[in-house]
Amino acid sequence: MATVRRSDTAPELAVRKIVCDLGIRYTLKNRDLPGSPDIANRSKRFAIFVHGCFWHRHRNCKRATTPRSNRTFWEEKFEANVRRDRRVAKVLRRLGFSVSTVWECEVARPERVASRLKKELER
Ligand SMILES: [Zn+2]
C-alpha cells in the first residue's frame, strides 16, 4: 500500500541478499510494472513482493493481528490491500511474469526462502 510503504525495509534487504546470493540479477522499485514489485527481472519475467504480514494479511500468521478499536476501519483497509495484491498478481501473470511473495516472517529462515525462490525463479 503506497501510503504505508517505506523503502528498503529490513525484510526487503534480506530478500535482496537471498536473490543476489542465488546469482540472479534483478532491478528494484519497478514502478513501471503493475504493483511496483520490490524485486523484478523483466527479461526473465519474474516479480517478487516482500510483504509485511500485518498489512498484507499473511494467513494464519500471528503477526496478522487486527487492532481492537476501529475494527471496521481496519478490516476494510486490510481487505482493500489483499484485493489489490491479488489484482496486481493477476495482471503480472497475464503479462507473463511469475509472481512470488515472500512474507516478512519468513526471512527469519533465509535458507528456506532461498530454496523456494530458487525453484520459483528457475522455472
Ligand atoms: Zn507472516
Side-chain angles (χ1 to χ4, degrees), residues 2 4 19 21 32 40 48-49 64 69-70 72 108 114 119 121 123:
V4 293
V19 177
D21 288 348
D32 57 317
I48 303 171
F49 291 94
S69 54
N70 301 319
T72 314
K119 266 183 236 141
L121 302 183
R123 267 183 314 208

mmCIF file of all heavy atoms in Angstrom, residues 2 4 19 21 32 40 48-49 64 69-70 72 108 114 119 121 123:
data_model
loop_
_atom_site.group_PDB
_atom_site.id
_atom_site.type_symbol
_atom_site.label_atom_id
_atom_site.label_comp_id
_atom_site.label_asym_id
_atom_site.label_seq_id
_atom_site.Cartn_x
_atom_site.Cartn_y
_atom_site.Cartn_z
ATOM 1 N N ALA A 2 0.615 2.113 -0.915
ATOM 2 C CA ALA A 2 1.509 3.239 -1.152
ATOM 3 C C ALA A 2 1.736 4.098 0.093
ATOM 4 O O ALA A 2 2.854 4.488 0.387
ATOM 5 C CB ALA A 2 0.957 4.103 -2.269
ATOM 6 N N VAL A 4 1.675 3.482 3.293
ATOM 7 C CA VAL A 4 2.436 2.965 4.425
ATOM 8 C C VAL A 4 3.787 2.430 3.989
ATOM 9 O O VAL A 4 4.567 1.964 4.787
ATOM 10 C CB VAL A 4 1.712 1.823 5.166
ATOM 11 C CG1 VAL A 4 0.481 2.345 5.837
ATOM 12 C CG2 VAL A 4 1.428 0.673 4.245
ATOM 13 N N VAL A 19 18.315 -13.328 -3.071
ATOM 14 C CA VAL A 19 18.246 -13.423 -4.537
ATOM 15 C C VAL A 19 19.631 -13.192 -5.140
ATOM 16 O O VAL A 19 20.055 -13.891 -6.060
ATOM 17 C CB VAL A 19 17.210 -12.429 -5.111
ATOM 18 C CG1 VAL A 19 17.188 -12.464 -6.631
ATOM 19 C CG2 VAL A 19 15.817 -12.737 -4.560
ATOM 20 N N ASP A 21 22.507 -13.792 -3.673
ATOM 21 C CA ASP A 21 23.319 -14.980 -3.388
ATOM 22 C C ASP A 21 22.994 -16.136 -4.329
ATOM 23 O O ASP A 21 23.820 -17.020 -4.547
ATOM 24 C CB ASP A 21 23.120 -15.441 -1.925
ATOM 25 C CG ASP A 21 23.794 -14.483 -0.933
ATOM 26 O OD1 ASP A 21 24.578 -13.614 -1.374
ATOM 27 O OD2 ASP A 21 23.529 -14.608 0.280
ATOM 28 N N ASP A 32 7.410 0.916 -13.145
ATOM 29 C CA ASP A 32 6.743 0.760 -14.446
ATOM 30 C C ASP A 32 5.971 -0.557 -14.532
ATOM 31 O O ASP A 32 5.241 -0.779 -15.481
ATOM 32 C CB ASP A 32 7.779 0.841 -15.567
ATOM 33 C CG ASP A 32 8.879 -0.208 -15.398
ATOM 34 O OD1 ASP A 32 9.349 -0.395 -14.253
ATOM 35 O OD2 ASP A 32 9.249 -0.839 -16.394
ATOM 36 N N ALA A 40 12.406 -7.436 -9.356
ATOM 37 C CA ALA A 40 11.885 -7.988 -10.613
ATOM 38 C C ALA A 40 12.981 -8.100 -11.649
ATOM 39 O O ALA A 40 14.041 -7.478 -11.529
ATOM 40 C CB ALA A 40 10.751 -7.114 -11.148
ATOM 41 N N ILE A 48 8.958 -10.280 -7.523
ATOM 42 C CA ILE A 48 8.899 -10.737 -6.128
ATOM 43 C C ILE A 48 8.378 -9.593 -5.264
ATOM 44 O O ILE A 48 8.870 -8.465 -5.355
ATOM 45 C CB ILE A 48 10.292 -11.158 -5.607
ATOM 46 C CG1 ILE A 48 10.893 -12.248 -6.495
ATOM 47 C CG2 ILE A 48 10.203 -11.644 -4.158
ATOM 48 C CD1 ILE A 48 12.355 -12.561 -6.172
ATOM 49 N N PHE A 49 7.393 -9.909 -4.467
ATOM 50 C CA PHE A 49 6.888 -8.942 -3.496
ATOM 51 C C PHE A 49 7.313 -9.374 -2.106
ATOM 52 O O PHE A 49 7.191 -10.556 -1.759
ATOM 53 C CB PHE A 49 5.359 -8.869 -3.546
ATOM 54 C CG PHE A 49 4.842 -8.240 -4.811
ATOM 55 C CD1 PHE A 49 4.491 -9.028 -5.899
ATOM 56 C CD2 PHE A 49 4.717 -6.862 -4.911
ATOM 57 C CE1 PHE A 49 4.022 -8.444 -7.083
ATOM 58 C CE2 PHE A 49 4.251 -6.273 -6.076
ATOM 59 C CZ PHE A 49 3.901 -7.071 -7.164
ATOM 60 N N ALA A 64 -0.377 -11.119 11.813
ATOM 61 C CA ALA A 64 -1.521 -10.521 11.119
ATOM 62 C C ALA A 64 -2.671 -10.277 12.097
ATOM 63 O O ALA A 64 -3.774 -10.781 11.943
ATOM 64 C CB ALA A 64 -1.960 -11.423 9.968
ATOM 65 N N SER A 69 -9.659 -1.556 18.395
ATOM 66 C CA SER A 69 -10.550 -0.414 18.139
ATOM 67 C C SER A 69 -10.624 -0.131 16.641
ATOM 68 O O SER A 69 -9.730 -0.505 15.880
ATOM 69 C CB SER A 69 -10.047 0.811 18.896
ATOM 70 O OG SER A 69 -8.700 1.057 18.585
ATOM 71 N N ASN A 70 -11.708 0.510 16.255
ATOM 72 C CA ASN A 70 -11.964 0.826 14.836
ATOM 73 C C ASN A 70 -11.881 -0.412 13.948
ATOM 74 O O ASN A 70 -11.302 -0.384 12.874
ATOM 75 C CB ASN A 70 -10.966 1.875 14.312
ATOM 76 C CG ASN A 70 -11.027 3.150 15.095
ATOM 77 O OD1 ASN A 70 -12.099 3.618 15.452
ATOM 78 N ND2 ASN A 70 -9.878 3.715 15.389
ATOM 79 N N THR A 72 -13.905 -2.031 12.044
ATOM 80 C CA THR A 72 -14.419 -1.958 10.673
ATOM 81 C C THR A 72 -13.433 -1.240 9.763
ATOM 82 O O THR A 72 -13.161 -1.689 8.646
ATOM 83 C CB THR A 72 -15.780 -1.216 10.643
ATOM 84 O OG1 THR A 72 -16.573 -1.747 11.699
ATOM 85 C CG2 THR A 72 -16.487 -1.402 9.335
ATOM 86 N N ALA A 108 13.221 -14.877 8.574
ATOM 87 C CA ALA A 108 13.959 -15.401 9.721
ATOM 88 C C ALA A 108 14.627 -16.729 9.354
ATOM 89 O O ALA A 108 15.557 -17.165 10.019
ATOM 90 C CB ALA A 108 13.015 -15.588 10.906
ATOM 91 N N ALA A 114 15.344 -19.101 0.269
ATOM 92 C CA ALA A 114 16.256 -19.298 -0.868
ATOM 93 C C ALA A 114 15.862 -20.516 -1.693
ATOM 94 O O ALA A 114 15.785 -20.431 -2.923
ATOM 95 C CB ALA A 114 17.692 -19.429 -0.363
ATOM 96 N N LYS A 119 13.516 -22.454 -6.784
ATOM 97 C CA LYS A 119 12.562 -23.263 -7.573
ATOM 98 C C LYS A 119 11.663 -22.367 -8.399
ATOM 99 O O LYS A 119 11.433 -22.602 -9.573
ATOM 100 C CB LYS A 119 11.710 -24.119 -6.627
ATOM 101 C CG LYS A 119 12.286 -25.509 -6.434
ATOM 102 C CD LYS A 119 11.364 -26.335 -5.560
ATOM 103 C CE LYS A 119 12.111 -26.871 -4.348
ATOM 104 N NZ LYS A 119 11.351 -26.863 -3.105
ATOM 105 N N LEU A 121 12.005 -19.229 -9.357
ATOM 106 C CA LEU A 121 12.617 -18.331 -10.343
ATOM 107 C C LEU A 121 13.294 -19.069 -11.485
ATOM 108 O O LEU A 121 13.564 -18.502 -12.514
ATOM 109 C CB LEU A 121 13.641 -17.401 -9.671
ATOM 110 C CG LEU A 121 13.100 -16.524 -8.535
ATOM 111 C CD1 LEU A 121 14.186 -15.606 -8.017
ATOM 112 C CD2 LEU A 121 11.894 -15.722 -8.989
ATOM 113 N N ARG A 123 12.067 -21.648 -13.061
ATOM 114 C CA ARG A 123 11.098 -22.351 -13.889
ATOM 115 C C ARG A 123 11.294 -22.026 -15.366
ATOM 116 O O ARG A 123 11.611 -20.906 -15.706
ATOM 117 C CB ARG A 123 9.688 -21.953 -13.487
ATOM 118 C CG ARG A 123 9.117 -22.894 -12.477
ATOM 119 C CD ARG A 123 7.697 -22.521 -12.148
ATOM 120 N NE ARG A 123 7.613 -21.067 -11.913
ATOM 121 C CZ ARG A 123 6.707 -20.509 -11.111
ATOM 122 N NH1 ARG A 123 5.853 -21.242 -10.475
ATOM 123 N NH2 ARG A 123 6.670 -19.214 -10.946
#
